[in-house]
Amino acid sequence: MVYKKIITLCQKNDRKAQKELYQAISPKLYGSCLRYAPNEAEAQDILQDTFIIIFKKIDQFKFKGSFEGWCKRIAVNTALQRYRGVKVYDLVNEDQLEDLEAVQIEESDDVPLKKLLSMVQELPERYRLVFTMYVMDGYSHKEIAEMMKITTGTSKSNLARARQHLQSMVKIWRESHNSNAG
């Protein structure tokens, strides 16, 4: 394991090792935090909260599985905890869900990745969280429902609505981009 020595020192509250660990994994964790946050300032706050928890609970890491995966799970849970207190979920009936599931985002080769990520950050919180967990982090609707304390149907409807919002934003961006280019 690449981090074994550093982790062992961190478990003994070694400040130099904590700094080294922070510098090694914070860029990756920041990317995860940024996907859940509506802006960079919030992502930085989530990252800092994540490291407080990592250093507080690092003695619970038993060198089984990926350390980065363990840290990423803490980052995701920290982000979810930050937004959990706000009721942000729309309930829909099954007929609405079928209509929403039909919405697909078109291929986005012409939309820069940075712009797409910016669009994801602009989504309403309830949609952004589910979209990020499902599309970017690969969680199932069942896992999302358990982590966010919602139903799988709510997870599915929020994902479909996120896609619908993104499709609209991409369309508007393309129209604006094409009119500026021509």
Side-chain angles (χ1 to χ4, degrees):
M1 166 169 267
V2 175
Y3 300 111
K4 188 168 185 169
K5 182 178 179 184
I6 297 171
I7 294 167
T8 303
L9 290 171
C10 286
Q11 290 173 335
K12 297 175 183 174
N13 290 320
D14 182 298
R15 296 287 181 208
K16 186 178 176 187
Q18 288 175 339
K19 181 179 179 182
E20 191 175 337
L21 183 65
Y22 179 89
Q23 290 172 337
I25 64 173
S26 64
K28 291 178 184 175
L29 292 181
Y30 178 69
S32 292
C33 295
L34 193 58
R35 290 194 303 260
Y36 286 89
N39 57 54
E40 290 184 15
E42 290 265 336
Q44 283 290 343
D45 288 348
I46 294 168
L47 180 67
Q48 295 309 315
D49 291 346
T50 296
F51 271 98
I52 290 169
I53 294 167
I54 287 171
F55 291 134
K56 198 180 285 186
K57 296 185 176 202
I58 198 162
D59 60 322
Q60 294 176 13
F61 183 73
K62 302 299 182 200
F63 300 96
K64 294 180 180 169
S66 162
F67 180 71
E68 285 183 8
W70 183 79
C71 291
K72 183 179 177 186
R73 185 75 145 172
I74 291 173
V76 169
N77 286 333
T78 301
L80 292 177
Q81 187 65 37
R82 185 177 195 91
Y83 302 112
R84 191 172 278 147
V86 183
K87 178 113 173 77
V88 293
Y89 310 105
D90 286 342
L91 299 176
V92 296
N93 65 40
E94 292 300 315
D95 295 335
Q96 291 173 305
L97 184 57
E98 288 175 17
D99 292 342
L100 290 171
E101 285 177 340
V103 175
Q104 295 295 319
I105 299 172
E106 299 172 27
E107 283 297 318
S108 304
D109 292 338
D110 61 326
V111 182
L113 179 61
K114 190 169 186 170
K115 183 61 184 169
L116 283 173
L117 290 175
S118 168
M119 289 176 185
V120 170
Q121 288 179 317
E122 291 174 27
L123 288 172
E125 192 171 281
R126 61 190 170 269
Y127 305 150
R128 184 184 70 247
L129 295 174
V130 172
F131 181 86
T132 300
M133 293 179 78
Y134 187 84
V135 174
M136 297 178 166
D137 289 333
Y139 289 104
S140 70
H141 285 295
K142 182 180 180 195
E143 292 169 317
I144 294 168
E146 289 171 2
M147 292 172 75
M148 296 183 74
K149 297 180 181 15
I150 58 176
T151 67
T152 55
T154 300
S155 176
K156 289 177 182 180
S157 69
N158 284 324
L159 175 63
R161 288 177 185 214
R163 286 181 170 150
Q164 188 177 38
H165 276 274
L166 282 172
Q167 188 177 41
S168 295
M169 285 189 268
V170 166
K171 182 180 179 189
I172 291 167
W173 183 87
R174 283 184 177 138
E175 289 170 358
S176 166
H177 186 71
N178 289 338
S179 68
N180 289 339

